[in-house]
Amino acid sequence: MAKAITSREENYSEWYLDIVKKANLAANSAVRGCMVIKPNGFAIWERMQRQLDDMFKETGHVNAYFPLFIPKSFLSREAEHVEGFAKECAVVTHHRLMNDPNGGGVVVDPSAKLEEELIVRPTSETIIWHTFRDWITSYRDLPLLINQWANVVRWELRTRLFLRTSEFLWQEGHTAHATAEEALEEALKIQEVYATFAEEYMAMPVLRGVKTANERFAGAIDTYTIEALMQDGKALQAGTSHNLGQNFAKAFDVKFSNAENQEEYVWASSWGVSTRLVGGLIMTHSDDEGLVLPPKMAPVQVVIVPIPKPSEELNTKAKELMQELKARGIRVTYDDDDKQRPGFKFAENELKGIPIRLGLGKRDLDKGTIEVARRDEKTKESQPLDGIVDHVANLLEEIQQNLFDRAVRFREENSTHVDTFEEFQAAIDRDIPGFVYAHWDGTTETELKIKELTKATIRCIPNDRVEETGSCILSGKPSAGKVVFAKAY
Amino acid sequence: MAKAITSREENYSEWYLDIVKKANLAANSAVRGCMVIKPNGFAIWERMQRQLDDMFKETGHVNAYFPLFIPKSFLSREAEHVEGFAKECAVVTHHRLMNDPNGGGVVVDPSAKLEEELIVRPTSETIIWHTFRDWITSYRDLPLLINQWANVVRWELRTRLFLRTSEFLWQEGHTAHATAEEALEEALKIQEVYATFAEEYMAMPVLRGVKTANERFAGAIDTYTIEALMQDGKALQAGTSHNLGQNFAKAFDVKFSNAENQEEYVWASSWGVSTRLVGGLIMTHSDDEGLVLPPKMAPVQVVIVPIPKPSEELNTKAKELMQELKARGIRVTYDDDDKQRPGFKFAENELKGIPIRLGLGKRDLDKGTIEVARRDEKTKESQPLDGIVDHVANLLEEIQQNLFDRAVRFREENSTHVDTFEEFQAAIDRDIPGFVYAHWDGTTETELKIKELTKATIRCIPNDRVEETGSCILSGKPSAGKVVFAKAY
């Protein structure tokens, strides 16, 4: 068996990478900062995609596809936007290679230089708003509720599998509306869709809040976020939804005639979640034995292991059981490898995060029982075979809920309210800093100063924050309520 | 109402583009050769994806994801491969933009030049085989059956929406095997999956065959193809599956130890279909009134139109009917716009290719009937409301079959067998040239000469070709059986 996983206590970063590697989720590629998503990892992303896509469609959105490339001049149209993305982007300058006349192999053909450089999309607001100009004339064309599943590239210096990579997969929603209110409503609706997905499917509790001006998406009026807490006490921004106001409509001159036949600029939102969610899922639930997956996100929910090894009798029973579980909509496999012993298989299946293991032994079978092991709590018990499908179905729901409850408890235990900078510093300096609620004077200056002193950033101003008069932990100036600080990924 | 569609007879190319445009399927973008796939077009591609993905999974394949970028040196490793793709590719040379110190806006930052240029993948054999080197050690790791859904870029000079674009969406399968036989078997199995998909889902009959050496994928030993015939008598290569032998394993040094513990190079296949299929679907079935979609590929299968306009009574009945149809798994919408007259709606729904239209009128309702119109044959009839769901379900199947049968008939009527070059020339020069079966001496020289003289290419040597002695239509040299020529997209 492969070398054990580094424990979280020993080195959390190594623990994370060990799980990604040993559970065969992803790997670094030959291209700096780009990852290969391996089948086990991609299967998780596929489940996320399918569920989110259903939720987007239920809320009236349709999918479309826009070009990978963005003309350089488009990026520049929105001043903050270009500022945000120009410094780390992949630039296409030529469209042909040739054989080096000096025998140096294949080289760029200098005669095939593009008139205008193309940027590999870091996000698609610019190319999409350029397109929306052709699609929108009148209020009857609105709202326009579009989503795209795509790859994007941001030339990140420090990368980490799933959490931050130069190329990543995501969905980006881009919507156009007739009023400021509708654009805001859409941005908030999607924040809620994201939060529901995170909590009900990923079993990952999230704070819903709005970003400060400093942490806003480049070109947005407001950025709404969902923030999760990882087991090392650092925050993960898990999804954002932006109210873009009329910024992009103005940059790309997209107007519509309203019901009174007056021309107005269109109002917009954009929003996205990415393969980063896979990293968040791993870090929320997994343990020192490997991946732990909530049943709704698990590509395989149940594995049947023959004990001590496959036999005609056990194979027959396993097949029968699989058929019944499948009929109930449960994703099940049979580990019929006859070369490995059960102990090895148990460890392998734990590493992969399969929520339930059914140990099928001859002796148990004769007694009419089967061994049921839970991945989340590492418990096992003998269960009557009679009624086992119901038991497994209920247990999957219980595990899903247990993982969510556990993560909520962890977050509660690691959320602190402080009133002074000393308390703040002490909280942020703990091994598991967690979410720290503190008063802030509302200025970017103070926010940046706190970041410089402590490395903590404001994750969000919570949607449900309690309005209360207080003094900023740094400047002492008045504050209307606490905001959430944390160290973050 | 918008200007009518150009008729096929008047100008087939314009007819095609009119349909793509007026049915809101796709549009040219601001980036040369790249298209925007609009929601109506993307919905068709989504149906294709979902079905193909299911078929790939049923045949044991899993999805993964590999980087968008390919280091320039990788492309060069397989000599034929680089020859095939280097001349039309997007090259990334820099990773940052900057403000022009001379005030010329945003420019490429010369200090951010990449050490090695990156090519936007035109296909992923090279990066994948580089990766497979880490995944394969022993025969126990084989077969490896991987698929990827991705965007690829080939810098095409002449583009046409869906049929040939610089960026397109596709799936690319990449498999690794322990024996030459297994790699060949896989390539043939996928050819059959593609053919089944084309015929049973797209209702598009295809010839199954193998490409000549000259038409082979760059780096393959053999390329298997499915070839469809469009209504203008030109062939469309709709999907290809390649037996790569050990070419890429050798180029990337991928070996495995076999059961006898001897090291061997791995055997490979690769295969793909793309958004080009949407173009094929349009051109196979559509008519001068607009898009015609086979029910299995139609995002909307049935539209209910209230006659003459929505009313409480008609809305109630429509909702009830929709519920029943949906319960039967039928995709149905209600056209409840109260601004447009039925005639306008009929034309719009015909343009969109919705297979069945149900006209729901008050008078019919009182009589217990409903008007059922078929898009494929442009017929309509009154049907009892009682049992209408069964009738619609059966009719959808009938339409699916009718479209396939019609396309088969068209292909038969436009397939010619010739024995002399004069006959060949005459056949190829017809308004609808179709598939022309002729003897060929097996040399690339003759193949290219025929292409030069007639613009016809060999589409394939059919899998089921009749072995018969004959003389090549050009050289007179012996031939073992006829091959299929056509003008092609």
Side-chain angles (χ1 to χ4, degrees):
Chain A
M1 216 195 118
K3 175 185 149 289
I5 293 166
T6 307
S7 74
R8 283 164 291 184
E9 209 185 324
E10 197 184 333
N11 185 330
Y12 189 84
S13 275
E14 283 301 315
W15 165 80
Y16 173 74
L17 291 177
D18 274 355
I19 290 192
V20 171
K21 192 176 160 187
K22 287 175 199 291
N24 271 320
L25 303 177
N28 287 311
S29 78
V31 184
R32 211 197 56 79
C34 294
M35 66 177 161
V36 171
I37 308 180
K38 300 176 84 170
N40 287 356
F42 202 84
I44 297 172
W45 177 239
E46 276 185 287
R47 292 209 67 74
M48 291 180 169
Q49 278 191 299
R50 192 65 71 102
Q51 180 57 37
L52 284 165
D53 198 67
D54 286 349
M55 292 170 89
F56 298 150
K57 285 178 177 151
E58 274 163 27
T59 45
H61 302 85
V62 288
N63 288 328
Y65 188 77
F66 297 85
L68 171 67
F69 299 126
I70 295 180
K72 193 189 66 181
S73 57
F74 281 24
L75 262 197
S76 325
R77 296 251 197 119
E78 214 288 335
E80 289 182 13
H81 193 72
V82 67
E83 189 64 27
F85 292 104
K87 282 174 210 141
E88 39 183 47
C89 60
V91 188
V92 176
T93 56
H94 292 74
H95 63 81
R96 190 164 55 233
L97 298 174
M98 60 184 274
N99 287 314
D100 186 353
N102 305 319
V106 175
V107 295
V108 172
D109 182 343
S111 74
K113 192 168 190 303
L114 297 178
E115 267 181 52
E116 181 181 3
E117 294 89 350
L118 297 173
I119 313 306
V120 179
R121 63 183 162 218
T123 180
S124 301
E125 277 77 6
T126 58
I127 187 86
I128 288 180
W129 277 88
H130 176 87
T131 310
F132 277 3
R133 192 164 193 260
D134 294 336
W135 294 8
I136 300 169
T137 316
S138 131
Y139 70 96
R140 283 185 215 92
D141 302 319
L142 300 173
L144 200 53
L145 305 173
I146 305 285
N147 178 60
Q148 158 169 285
W149 290 96
N151 53 344
V152 285
V153 172
R154 298 174 187 179
W155 208 264
E156 301 282 355
L157 280 181
R158 271 176 231 139
T159 60
R160 199 190 310 230
L161 293 168
F162 289 118
L163 297 171
R164 192 175 294 278
T165 48
S166 292
E167 181 192 14
F168 55 91
L169 303 183
W170 79 343
Q171 60 67 218
E172 46 183 322
H174 295 272
T175 69
H177 306 269
T179 66
E181 294 70 33
E182 281 178 48
L184 171 61
E185 199 182 297
E186 168 78 10
L188 290 170
K189 180 194 284 175
I190 294 296
Q191 182 188 39
E192 197 50 37
V193 166
Y194 286 163
T196 302
F197 173 73
E199 300 192 330
E200 292 184 11
Y201 292 85
M202 294 175 62
M204 180 175 81
V206 292
L207 295 183
R208 299 147 171 84
V210 64
K211 289 284 185 189
T212 62
N214 179 56
E215 297 275 341
R216 220 173 257 159
F217 174 75
I221 284 183
D222 259 321
T223 288
Y224 300 92
T225 183
I226 56 169
E227 301 277 331
L229 190 62
M230 303 295 101
Q231 292 181 63
D232 61 347
K234 281 163 87 174
L236 185 81
Q237 177 180 305
T240 49
S241 168
H242 318 293
N243 180 356
L244 302 176
Q246 294 175 313
N247 289 350
F248 286 90
K250 284 179 179 163
F252 289 89
D253 195 29
V254 187
K255 292 179 186 165
F256 72 103
S257 58
N258 63 23
E260 287 75 42
N261 217 16
Q262 291 159 325
E263 289 231 309
E264 267 191 77
Y265 284 110
V266 177
W267 302 84
S269 91
S270 71
W271 28 278
V273 294
S274 73
T275 34
R276 162 171 257 215
L277 287 179
V278 179
L281 187 71
I282 297 166
M283 291 206 298
T284 300
H285 305 298
S286 302
D287 62 22
D288 294 348
E289 272 68 61
L291 196 57
V292 175
L293 290 174
K296 286 187 187 175
M297 288 289 106
V300 176
Q301 298 173 306
V302 176
V303 58
I304 304 174
V305 179
I307 295 172
K309 57 180 190 178
S311 69
E312 212 179 300
E313 188 186 0
L314 295 180
N315 295 354
T316 305
K317 184 66 198 171
K319 263 174 213 157
E320 185 190 314
L321 200 50
M322 279 176 77
Q323 222 157 24
E324 290 172 37
L325 289 164
K326 279 183 186 170
R328 190 66 170 263
I330 293 169
R331 300 182 287 280
V332 55
T333 57
Y334 181 45
D335 192 345
D336 63 353
D337 184 339
D338 59 4
K339 303 223 170 38
Q340 302 296 350
R341 279 166 309 128
F344 178 91
K345 291 183 180 180
F346 291 179
E348 282 291 302
N349 290 318
E350 275 170 20
L351 176 60
K352 287 189 210 157
I354 302 174
I356 295 177
R357 182 186 74 229
L358 299 177
L360 187 65
K362 164 110 182 73
R363 240 179 317 165
D364 288 347
L365 202 53
D366 292 343
K367 284 190 295 182
T369 64
I370 191 165
E371 190 185 271
V372 181
R374 283 173 69 149
R375 176 65 185 92
D376 59 336
E377 295 295 337
K378 285 178 280 186
T379 51
K380 58 184 179 185
E381 53 177 5
S382 183
Q383 279 290 328
L385 261 168
D386 193 30
I388 189 68
V389 174
D390 281 338
H391 180 75
V392 166
N394 292 335
L395 190 55
L396 286 171
E397 280 181 35
E398 195 182 321
I399 293 171
Q400 180 81 27
Q401 188 64 44
N402 179 50
L403 288 173
F404 179 70
D405 293 345
R406 210 162 83 171
V408 168
R409 255 188 335 267
F410 175 83
R411 185 180 69 181
E412 281 169 5
E413 285 162 13
N414 293 286
S415 293
T416 324
H417 285 254
V418 301
D419 290 307
T420 68
F421 189 73
E422 289 65 38
E423 287 172 12
F424 180 81
Q425 182 93 56
I428 285 292
D429 283 350
R430 288 175 304 186
D431 282 348
I432 295 180
F435 284 139
V436 183
Y437 289 74
H439 280 290
W440 160 65
D441 64 17
T443 69
T444 298
E445 194 194 340
T446 299
E447 182 180 5
L448 292 176
K449 195 76 192 285
I450 293 174
K451 183 176 177 184
E452 198 190 311
L453 293 169
T454 65
K455 289 187 181 153
T457 50
I458 301 178
R459 303 318 304 156
C460 67
I461 303 161
N463 288 3
D464 61 355
R465 87 154 159 184
V466 182
E467 301 294 321
E468 58 171 30
T469 332
S471 312
C472 173
I473 49 161
L474 192 75
S475 69
K477 288 182 189 158
S479 145
K482 283 174 174 165
V483 299
V484 182
F485 287 86
K487 286 184 182 163
Y489 278 92
Chain B
M1 221 197 113
K3 175 186 148 289
I5 294 167
T6 307
S7 74
R8 284 165 289 184
E9 210 186 322
E10 198 183 333
N11 185 329
Y12 190 84
S13 277
E14 283 301 314
W15 165 80
Y16 173 74
L17 291 176
D18 275 355
I19 289 191
V20 171
K21 190 174 162 191
K22 287 174 200 289
N24 270 320
L25 303 178
N28 287 311
S29 78
V31 183
R32 211 197 56 79
C34 295
M35 67 177 160
V36 171
I37 307 180
K38 301 176 85 170
N40 287 356
F42 202 83
I44 296 172
W45 176 239
E46 276 184 288
R47 291 209 67 75
M48 291 181 171
Q49 279 191 297
R50 192 64 71 101
Q51 180 57 38
L52 284 165
D53 198 68
D54 286 349
M55 293 170 89
F56 298 151
K57 284 177 175 150
E58 273 163 29
T59 44
H61 303 84
V62 289
N63 288 328
Y65 188 76
F66 297 85
L68 170 67
F69 299 126
I70 295 180
K72 193 190 66 183
S73 58
F74 282 23
L75 261 198
S76 325
R77 297 251 197 117
E78 215 289 334
E80 289 181 13
H81 194 70
V82 65
E83 190 65 26
F85 292 105
K87 282 175 212 141
E88 40 184 45
C89 61
V91 188
V92 177
T93 56
H94 292 75
H95 63 83
R96 190 162 57 233
L97 298 174
M98 60 184 273
N99 287 313
D100 185 351
N102 305 319
V106 175
V107 295
V108 172
D109 182 344
S111 73
K113 192 169 190 302
L114 297 178
E115 268 181 53
E116 180 180 4
E117 294 88 350
L118 296 173
I119 312 306
V120 179
R121 62 181 163 220
T123 180
S124 301
E125 278 76 7
T126 58
I127 187 88
I128 288 181
W129 278 87
H130 176 88
T131 310
F132 277 2
R133 192 162 193 261
D134 295 335
W135 294 9
I136 300 169
T137 317
S138 132
Y139 70 96
R140 283 185 216 91
D141 302 320
L142 300 172
L144 199 53
L145 305 173
I146 304 286
N147 178 57
Q148 159 169 284
W149 290 96
N151 53 344
V152 286
V153 172
R154 298 176 186 177
W155 210 264
E156 301 282 356
L157 280 181
R158 271 177 230 137
T159 60
R160 199 191 309 230
L161 293 167
F162 290 117
L163 297 172
R164 191 176 294 277
T165 49
S166 292
E167 181 192 15
F168 55 91
L169 303 182
W170 79 343
Q171 60 69 220
E172 45 182 325
H174 295 273
T175 69
H177 306 268
T179 66
E181 294 69 33
E182 281 177 47
L184 171 61
E185 199 181 296
E186 168 78 10
L188 290 170
K189 181 196 283 177
I190 293 296
Q191 182 189 40
E192 197 50 40
V193 166
Y194 286 163
T196 302
F197 173 74
E199 299 191 332
E200 290 184 11
Y201 292 85
M202 294 174 62
M204 180 176 81
V206 292
L207 295 183
R208 299 148 170 83
V210 64
K211 288 284 185 189
T212 61
N214 179 56
E215 297 275 341
R216 220 173 256 161
F217 175 75
I221 284 184
D222 259 322
T223 288
Y224 300 92
T225 182
I226 58 169
E227 301 277 331
L229 190 63
M230 304 294 102
Q231 292 181 62
D232 60 348
K234 282 164 86 175
L236 185 81
Q237 176 180 306
T240 49
S241 170
H242 318 293
N243 180 358
L244 302 176
Q246 295 175 312
N247 288 351
F248 286 90
K250 284 180 178 163
F252 290 88
D253 195 29
V254 188
K255 291 179 187 166
F256 72 105
S257 58
N258 64 22
E260 287 75 43
N261 217 16
Q262 292 161 325
E263 288 231 310
E264 268 190 75
Y265 284 112
V266 177
W267 302 85
S269 91
S270 71
W271 28 276
V273 295
S274 74
T275 34
R276 163 172 257 216
L277 286 180
V278 179
L281 187 71
I282 298 166
M283 290 204 300
T284 300
H285 304 299
S286 302
D287 62 23
D288 294 347
E289 271 68 62
L291 197 57
V292 174
L293 291 174
K296 287 186 185 174
M297 289 289 107
V300 176
Q301 297 173 306
V302 176
V303 57
I304 304 174
V305 180
I307 296 173
K309 58 180 188 178
S311 69
E312 213 180 298
E313 187 186 2
L314 295 181
N315 295 354
T316 306
K317 184 65 199 172
K319 265 173 211 155
E320 187 190 312
L321 200 49
M322 279 176 77
Q323 223 156 21
E324 290 172 37
L325 289 165
K326 280 182 185 168
R328 190 67 171 261
I330 293 168
R331 300 181 287 280
V332 54
T333 57
Y334 181 45
D335 191 344
D336 63 354
D337 184 339
D338 59 4
K339 302 223 172 39
Q340 301 296 353
R341 277 165 309 130
F344 177 91
K345 292 181 180 182
F346 292 178
E348 282 292 303
N349 290 318
E350 275 169 21
L351 176 60
K352 288 188 209 157
I354 301 174
I356 295 177
R357 181 184 75 228
L358 298 178
L360 186 66
K362 164 108 181 73
R363 238 179 318 168
D364 288 347
L365 203 52
D366 292 343
K367 282 190 294 184
T369 63
I370 191 166
E371 189 184 271
V372 180
R374 285 173 69 151
R375 175 66 184 93
D376 60 338
E377 295 295 337
K378 286 176 281 182
T379 51
K380 60 185 179 185
E381 54 177 5
S382 183
Q383 278 289 328
L385 261 168
D386 194 30
I388 189 69
V389 174
D390 282 338
H391 179 76
V392 166
N394 292 335
L395 191 53
L396 286 171
E397 282 180 35
E398 194 182 321
I399 293 171
Q400 180 81 28
Q401 188 64 44
N402 180 50
L403 287 173
F404 180 71
D405 293 344
R406 211 163 81 171
V408 168
R409 250 184 344 262
F410 176 81
R411 185 180 68 181
E412 280 169 5
E413 287 163 11
N414 292 285
S415 294
T416 324
H417 285 254
V418 301
D419 290 304
T420 68
F421 189 74
E422 290 63 39
E423 286 171 10
F424 181 81
Q425 182 92 56
I428 285 292
D429 284 349
R430 287 175 303 185
D431 283 346
I432 296 179
F435 285 138
V436 183
Y437 289 73
H439 280 290
W440 162 65
D441 64 17
T443 69
T444 300
E445 194 194 339
T446 299
E447 184 180 3
L448 293 176
K449 194 77 192 284
I450 293 174
K451 184 176 176 184
E452 198 191 311
L453 292 170
T454 66
K455 288 186 180 150
T457 51
I458 300 179
R459 303 318 304 155
C460 67
I461 303 161
N463 288 2
D464 61 356
R465 87 155 159 183
V466 182
E467 301 295 319
E468 55 169 32
T469 332
S471 315
C472 172
I473 49 161
L474 193 73
S475 69
K477 288 183 190 156
S479 144
K482 283 175 175 165
V483 299
V484 182
F485 287 86
K487 286 186 184 163
Y489 277 92

Short mmCIF file of all heavy atoms in Angstrom, two decimals, chain B residues 221-238:
data_model
loop_
_atom_site.label_atom_id
_atom_site.label_comp_id
_atom_site.label_asym_id
_atom_site.label_seq_id
_atom_site.Cartn_x
_atom_site.Cartn_y
_atom_site.Cartn_z
N ILE B 221 -2.34 5.52 -37.74
CA ILE B 221 -2.09 4.39 -38.63
C ILE B 221 -3.28 4.22 -39.56
O ILE B 221 -3.15 3.93 -40.74
CB ILE B 221 -1.91 3.10 -37.79
CG1 ILE B 221 -0.54 3.10 -37.15
CG2 ILE B 221 -2.13 1.87 -38.64
CD1 ILE B 221 -0.27 1.83 -36.38
N ASP B 222 -4.47 4.41 -38.99
CA ASP B 222 -5.71 4.35 -39.77
C ASP B 222 -6.74 5.27 -39.14
O ASP B 222 -6.79 5.39 -37.92
CB ASP B 222 -6.27 2.91 -39.80
CG ASP B 222 -5.95 2.23 -41.12
OD1 ASP B 222 -5.99 2.91 -42.17
OD2 ASP B 222 -5.64 1.02 -41.10
N THR B 223 -7.54 5.90 -40.00
CA THR B 223 -8.63 6.74 -39.50
C THR B 223 -9.94 6.17 -40.01
O THR B 223 -10.14 6.01 -41.21
CB THR B 223 -8.45 8.19 -39.98
OG1 THR B 223 -7.37 8.79 -39.27
CG2 THR B 223 -9.71 9.02 -39.74
N TYR B 224 -10.84 5.85 -39.05
CA TYR B 224 -12.17 5.36 -39.40
C TYR B 224 -13.12 6.55 -39.35
O TYR B 224 -12.99 7.41 -38.49
CB TYR B 224 -12.59 4.24 -38.44
CG TYR B 224 -11.61 3.11 -38.52
CD1 TYR B 224 -10.50 3.04 -37.67
CD2 TYR B 224 -11.72 2.16 -39.53
CE1 TYR B 224 -9.55 2.05 -37.80
CE2 TYR B 224 -10.77 1.16 -39.68
CZ TYR B 224 -9.68 1.11 -38.82
OH TYR B 224 -8.74 0.13 -38.97
N THR B 225 -14.05 6.57 -40.28
CA THR B 225 -14.88 7.77 -40.41
C THR B 225 -16.34 7.41 -40.59
O THR B 225 -16.67 6.29 -41.01
CB THR B 225 -14.39 8.60 -41.63
OG1 THR B 225 -15.16 9.79 -41.73
CG2 THR B 225 -14.55 7.81 -42.93
N ILE B 226 -17.20 8.35 -40.24
CA ILE B 226 -18.59 8.25 -40.66
C ILE B 226 -18.84 9.45 -41.57
O ILE B 226 -18.45 10.58 -41.26
CB ILE B 226 -19.59 8.21 -39.47
CG1 ILE B 226 -19.46 9.43 -38.57
CG2 ILE B 226 -19.43 6.93 -38.66
CD1 ILE B 226 -20.59 9.56 -37.54
N GLU B 227 -19.46 9.19 -42.72
CA GLU B 227 -19.65 10.22 -43.74
C GLU B 227 -21.14 10.35 -44.06
O GLU B 227 -21.80 9.37 -44.38
CB GLU B 227 -18.90 9.85 -45.02
CG GLU B 227 -17.40 9.68 -44.83
CD GLU B 227 -16.62 10.99 -44.86
OE1 GLU B 227 -17.08 11.96 -45.54
OE2 GLU B 227 -15.56 11.07 -44.19
N ALA B 228 -21.64 11.56 -43.94
CA ALA B 228 -23.06 11.80 -44.22
C ALA B 228 -23.19 12.60 -45.52
O ALA B 228 -22.25 13.28 -45.93
CB ALA B 228 -23.68 12.57 -43.07
N LEU B 229 -24.36 12.51 -46.14
CA LEU B 229 -24.58 13.26 -47.37
C LEU B 229 -25.56 14.41 -47.12
O LEU B 229 -26.67 14.20 -46.64
CB LEU B 229 -25.14 12.33 -48.46
CG LEU B 229 -25.19 12.93 -49.86
CD1 LEU B 229 -23.78 13.27 -50.37
CD2 LEU B 229 -25.87 11.98 -50.83
N MET B 230 -25.11 15.61 -47.42
CA MET B 230 -25.97 16.78 -47.21
C MET B 230 -26.90 16.98 -48.41
O MET B 230 -26.71 16.37 -49.45
CB MET B 230 -25.10 18.03 -46.99
CG MET B 230 -24.12 17.88 -45.83
SD MET B 230 -24.94 17.75 -44.20
CE MET B 230 -24.84 15.99 -43.84
N GLN B 231 -27.89 17.87 -48.26
CA GLN B 231 -28.91 18.02 -49.30
C GLN B 231 -28.39 18.64 -50.59
O GLN B 231 -29.06 18.59 -51.62
CB GLN B 231 -30.08 18.86 -48.79
CG GLN B 231 -30.87 18.15 -47.71
CD GLN B 231 -32.03 19.00 -47.25
OE1 GLN B 231 -32.93 19.32 -48.02
NE2 GLN B 231 -32.03 19.38 -45.99
N ASP B 232 -27.22 19.24 -50.55
CA ASP B 232 -26.64 19.77 -51.79
C ASP B 232 -25.73 18.74 -52.45
O ASP B 232 -25.01 19.06 -53.39
CB ASP B 232 -25.86 21.06 -51.52
CG ASP B 232 -24.72 20.85 -50.55
OD1 ASP B 232 -24.67 19.77 -49.92
OD2 ASP B 232 -23.86 21.74 -50.43
N GLY B 233 -25.77 17.49 -51.93
CA GLY B 233 -25.00 16.44 -52.55
C GLY B 233 -23.53 16.45 -52.19
O GLY B 233 -22.72 15.77 -52.83
N LYS B 234 -23.16 17.23 -51.15
CA LYS B 234 -21.79 17.20 -50.68
C LYS B 234 -21.70 16.36 -49.42
O LYS B 234 -22.64 16.26 -48.63
CB LYS B 234 -21.29 18.63 -50.40
CG LYS B 234 -20.91 19.36 -51.69
CD LYS B 234 -20.78 20.85 -51.50
CE LYS B 234 -19.43 21.29 -51.02
NZ LYS B 234 -19.36 22.79 -50.96
N ALA B 235 -20.53 15.75 -49.23
CA ALA B 235 -20.33 14.88 -48.06
C ALA B 235 -19.89 15.70 -46.86
O ALA B 235 -19.21 16.71 -47.00
CB ALA B 235 -19.28 13.83 -48.38
N LEU B 236 -20.29 15.23 -45.68
CA LEU B 236 -19.81 15.83 -44.44
C LEU B 236 -19.16 14.73 -43.61
O LEU B 236 -19.81 13.75 -43.24
CB LEU B 236 -20.96 16.45 -43.63
CG LEU B 236 -20.50 17.20 -42.37
CD1 LEU B 236 -20.01 18.60 -42.72
CD2 LEU B 236 -21.62 17.29 -41.35
N GLN B 237 -17.88 14.90 -43.32
CA GLN B 237 -17.19 13.99 -42.40
C GLN B 237 -17.73 14.32 -41.02
O GLN B 237 -17.55 15.42 -40.52
CB GLN B 237 -15.70 14.23 -42.48
CG GLN B 237 -14.90 13.41 -41.50
CD GLN B 237 -13.41 13.69 -41.64
OE1 GLN B 237 -12.83 13.59 -42.72
NE2 GLN B 237 -12.78 14.09 -40.55
N ALA B 238 -18.43 13.36 -40.41
CA ALA B 238 -19.20 13.69 -39.20
C ALA B 238 -18.53 13.22 -37.92
O ALA B 238 -18.89 13.66 -36.82
CB ALA B 238 -20.59 13.09 -39.31
#
